[in-house]
Amino acid sequence: MSAEEQKREYVLNAIASYPSQAQAAIALGTSPRVISQWNTNKATPRELAVRVVQLLQVLKESGIEPPPPIAF
């Protein structure tokens, strides 16, 4: 499996852990449209998305609830 495929699978597994794509989008700081593009292989998650997923997992594993998104 290539590095790009591994990145995609890593992010898709994280997305699948949320009840909906909309909730995954909020948690990852992106839009449902982008989540849909990743799910349908129309786009590949960037390094930042992979890092966000990694940091969210570390927080959850440490028993820390991630803060809600900031609304401007």
Side-chain angles (χ1 to χ4, degrees):
M1 190 181 294
S2 74
E4 290 298 313
E5 291 170 330
Q6 288 177 337
K7 260 196 297 191
R8 184 173 179 276
E9 285 301 313
Y10 185 74
V11 173
L12 290 180
N13 285 335
I15 291 168
S17 72
Y18 290 91
S20 70
Q21 286 187 0
Q23 288 177 329
I26 290 168
L28 298 178
T30 190
S31 70
R33 181 175 163 254
V34 170
I35 298 291
S36 177
Q37 289 177 340
W38 292 342
N39 274 329
T40 58
N41 207 19
K42 293 181 181 175
T44 303
R46 298 194 188 273
E47 294 295 329
L48 180 60
V50 175
R51 188 70 172 149
V52 167
V53 166
Q54 182 186 26
L55 292 171
L56 286 172
Q57 287 179 342
V58 167
L59 287 173
K60 286 180 182 178
E61 289 169 2
S62 299
I64 301 170
E65 189 64 32
I70 297 172
F72 294 99

